[in-house]
Amino acid sequence: MGSLVEVSNLTVVAGDATLVDALSFSIRPGEVLALIGESGSGKTTTALALMGYARHGCRIAAGQVRIDDIDVLKLGASQLRSLRGRKVAYIAQSAAASFNPSRTILDQVVEPATMHGTLSRPAAELKAIALFRELALPDPEGIGARYPHQVSGGQLQRLMAAMALITDPDVVILDEPTTALDVTTQIEVLRAFKRVVRERQVTAVYVSHDLAVVAQMADHILVLRGGCMQELASTDRVLAQPAHEYTRELLAAARPAARDSGHVSGSTQALLEISGVSAGYGARDAQGRPQVCILQDIGLRLERGQAVGVIGESGSGKTTLARAVAGLLAPSAGTIRFDGQALSPTLAQRSKDELRRIQIVFQSADTALNPSQTIESILARPLQFYRGLKGAALQRRIAELLDLVKLPANLAGRLPAGLSGGQKQRVNLARALAAEPELLLCDEVTSALDTVVGAAVLDLIAELRRELGLSILFISHDLHTVRAVCDEIVVMRHGCKLAQVARADYDRGPHHPYYEQLARAVPELRRGWLEELDLPRPVLVA
């Protein structure tokens, strides 16, 4: 059974900055409370404080956190170690970064139970297998023998849930557990999480920026902004009658609207032409075919000033296509032409101007930005390399780029670790724009962003297209987002192009069954959608 959680006047600071400001709330046993807000609102900071933990450079300055009769903030180090993973368990956003790649999955899942002494190793293994089955994982008896890289992202996220639940905790914190997953995988994970939370009657805290997901999971919603509570009410009340203007902004941002790019269709001027492209990884055979083939005979055309979306679930080949266009992966067959000229297959063979004209914005800003360089240094490098800027002109352009992506100029001196996830992604975008490209390859650029920041980035992309005539290849697993941004949509699965749909036909069918499946898998902003959803079995590649 779950525990009663009571938080009173919780205050968390970092130097002179207040991250969480005198926050008070309670969660009844067996209930799910969602913490909602944009990046930097204090969601994760609040959730971690429930375990008596503050991240490096932060400290819990005041307040009280009680779990049943335990005063968490008065516990010593050894008592906190006993609490964490036993009484309170944490499921992180990135399972891939949380597992040890050199140890088997089973070794890591049973570790909390053996460390806390709740189960013997044989009993823990039996319980782990039962949890694998409860979480609808394939091959529950055998999956534990694999290593983290041998399972999918959605499976790894559920395996992390098994690790958290093996000690039968009373409180579970789920910190953006489906943010990095494609929509069809997200459905599987949400269903598994909801079933387990309900059946075990644990008290849960669900941290998210996605109101549509929260609508399926939470009993109550606490809306945060700048570390301050804006609203706390039942999920039904927040969705139907939001009391605070900021909550209404979040709800509006959660419903993607079409962005007017000013692009006029019918142009015959192709900026990018991809013909018969195949690509993969590993050693090539005598015919030049890679050991692992990801893309198979892909063709598409992108006009100057146009945005073409590429959608598909994980493993469909979307990112591999972007990497081939960017020169990061040489195609094994086919041609890629840019502005009428054939592109060399690799970065090393391309001219400096070709490199400048095609820029890629990677999905994960955490791995794309050098952690040891300031934001100023990160933005200065492309400006110096492509434009030869220095001195006052360089500083002025850095300030303009930060303003362009809606970031304050005083962030320039910070390291990436001092920025929120949304801020880092906007730096990632600003760095690509520094080269003044003609084609921007956007690889899941809003998947890790909160709804407000994500909507702002989509608006910015539409604005750049209008003002600069920028062309976009927009990769995503979220069909609603792609429809809001793009003039045409290419549907991919298992490395093959299944269909291409023009904006005029978005609301006219019939479309390919897989396109319809992806459309239905995007969570709707209403209660009960998850229970009503009945996705068909995976369709075969046509």
Side-chain angles (χ1 to χ4, degrees):
M1 290 292 292
S3 292
L4 173 65
V5 176
E6 296 176 292
V7 176
S8 177
N9 294 314
L10 177 66
T11 302
V12 183
V13 300
D16 295 331
T18 300
L19 306 182
V20 175
D21 191 1
L23 194 61
S24 298
F25 61 89
S26 63
I27 318 170
R28 292 194 292 265
E31 287 191 338
V32 180
L33 172 71
L35 301 181
I36 275 283
E38 59 194 76
S39 297
S41 63
K43 305 186 299 294
T44 295
T45 302
T46 300
L48 292 174
L50 301 184
M51 301 188 293
Y53 179 80
R55 288 178 287 196
H56 182 70
C58 306
R59 65 182 178 89
I60 301 173
Q64 186 179 63
V65 175
R66 295 189 68 86
I67 300 177
D68 289 335
D69 59 348
I70 300 172
D71 193 338
V72 174
L73 303 186
K74 290 186 177 178
L75 298 180
S78 63
Q79 294 170 309
L80 284 171
R81 283 194 295 270
S82 297
L83 177 88
R84 297 167 185 164
R86 175 65 187 91
K87 183 82 171 176
V88 185
Y90 180 73
I91 301 174
Q93 177 175 347
S94 174
S98 302
F99 275 86
N100 186 331
S102 66
R103 297 174 58 202
T104 65
I105 287 165
L106 187 62
D107 272 348
Q108 298 179 71
V109 170
V110 302
E111 189 173 53
T114 56
M115 283 181 62
H116 287 281
T118 60
L119 293 169
S120 65
R121 173 71 189 227
E125 289 185 2
L126 289 174
K127 186 166 185 177
I129 292 169
L131 281 167
F132 296 162
R133 190 174 289 109
E134 196 174 346
L135 289 162
L137 284 156
D139 186 20
E141 287 80 15
I143 195 170
R146 302 183 197 174
Y147 288 86
H149 71 276
Q150 294 175 317
V151 299
S152 71
Q155 290 168 359
L156 205 58
Q157 204 69 45
R158 282 176 281 171
L159 288 162
M160 178 180 278
M163 188 192 304
L165 294 168
I166 198 165
T167 58
D168 291 320
D170 295 319
V171 180
V172 177
I173 299 166
L174 301 98
D175 190 357
E176 302 270 16
T178 63
T179 294
L181 304 178
D182 63 67
V183 285
T184 50
T185 304
Q186 177 177 253
I187 296 305
E188 298 174 12
V189 174
L190 287 176
R191 282 175 168 166
F193 283 176
K194 187 165 187 176
R195 182 176 61 252
V196 168
V197 167
R198 182 179 62 247
E199 291 175 357
R200 290 172 172 263
Q201 282 295 293
V202 297
T203 303
V205 176
Y206 198 100
V207 176
S208 180
H209 60 250
D210 192 331
L211 270 167
V213 168
V214 162
Q216 316 312 316
M217 299 295 294
D219 301 299
H220 294 84
I221 294 175
L222 192 162
V223 182
L224 283 167
R225 188 180 196 184
C228 299
M229 182 191 298
Q230 308 297 302
E231 183 168 353
L232 173 59
S234 70
T235 301
D236 289 328
R237 177 67 178 268
V238 169
L239 295 180
Q241 295 177 301
H244 198 280
E245 176 59 30
Y246 178 63
T247 309
R248 291 191 282 273
E249 289 177 19
L250 289 177
L251 287 165
R255 300 180 175 97
R259 268 78 180 173
D260 180 15
S261 67
H263 175 75
V264 179
S265 60
S267 168
T268 58
Q269 186 181 15
L271 182 67
L272 179 70
E273 292 178 284
I274 300 172
S275 304
V277 166
S278 298
Y281 300 91
R284 300 193 180 191
D285 61 19
Q287 285 74 44
R289 293 172 299 199
Q291 184 178 1
V292 179
C293 187
I294 304 296
L295 293 181
Q296 302 174 49
D297 194 28
I298 298 295
L300 66 83
R301 172 190 172 99
L302 187 150
E303 298 170 7
R304 189 175 292 278
Q306 188 184 30
V308 171
V310 181
I311 65 164
E313 58 194 356
S314 297
S316 63
K318 308 184 302 293
T319 295
T320 301
L321 176 62
R323 288 173 61 85
V325 174
L328 298 172
L329 177 68
S332 57
T335 58
I336 301 175
R337 300 180 71 84
F338 183 75
D339 202 13
Q341 302 296 315
L343 279 175
S344 299
T346 65
L347 286 176
Q349 296 170 303
R350 294 185 184 179
S351 68
K352 186 175 179 178
D353 194 53
E354 286 176 328
L355 296 177
R356 180 193 64 78
R357 296 171 74 190
I358 301 176
Q359 293 288 310
I360 186 167
V361 183
F362 295 100
Q363 176 178 357
S364 175
D366 280 324
T367 55
L369 301 178
N370 188 328
S372 66
Q373 297 288 316
T374 64
I375 304 308
E376 182 179 25
S377 297
I378 289 169
L379 297 181
R381 187 168 183 180
L383 294 172
Q384 292 165 332
F385 181 74
Y386 291 117
R387 296 298 177 189
L389 295 183
K390 57 185 178 181
L394 177 62
Q395 297 302 315
R396 186 166 54 251
R397 185 55 181 155
I398 290 172
E400 289 171 354
L401 286 169
L402 289 172
D403 182 63
L404 186 63
V405 296
K406 311 297 190 289
L407 288 174
N410 61 10
L411 291 186
R414 294 193 195 176
L415 296 172
L419 276 60
S420 70
Q423 290 171 333
K424 282 184 279 193
Q425 187 64 302
R426 282 180 276 175
V427 171
N428 200 15
L429 178 61
R431 180 176 58 181
L433 296 173
E436 299 181 22
E438 296 171 39
L439 173 62
L440 203 59
L441 308 173
C442 296
D443 187 4
E444 300 276 13
V445 293
T446 61
S447 65
L449 301 181
D450 63 71
T451 50
V452 172
V453 174
V457 169
L458 296 181
D459 287 335
L460 174 60
I461 288 171
E463 182 182 329
L464 291 168
R465 290 181 60 201
R466 285 194 301 270
E467 294 184 0
L468 307 177
L470 194 65
S471 303
I472 311 281
L473 190 66
F474 194 94
I475 290 166
S476 179
H477 58 250
D478 185 339
L479 183 57
H480 289 190
T481 297
V482 171
R483 285 172 58 134
V485 172
C486 299
D487 305 302
E488 295 187 9
I489 297 174
V490 171
V491 185
M492 289 182 63
R493 194 174 197 209
H494 302 318
C496 298
K497 177 181 171 181
L498 301 185
Q500 186 159 348
V501 182
R503 179 183 289 275
D505 297 323
Y506 285 176
D507 297 318
R508 298 198 300 244
H511 296 301
H512 192 282
Y514 183 59
Y515 177 97
E516 302 289 354
Q517 181 176 330
L518 289 174
R520 293 180 59 205
V522 179
E524 295 180 12
L525 198 58
R526 61 181 178 85
R527 299 274 275 167
W529 171 83
L530 187 63
E531 286 74 17
E532 297 169 11
L533 184 66
D534 181 25
L535 284 179
R537 291 181 177 274
V539 295
L540 297 176
V541 176

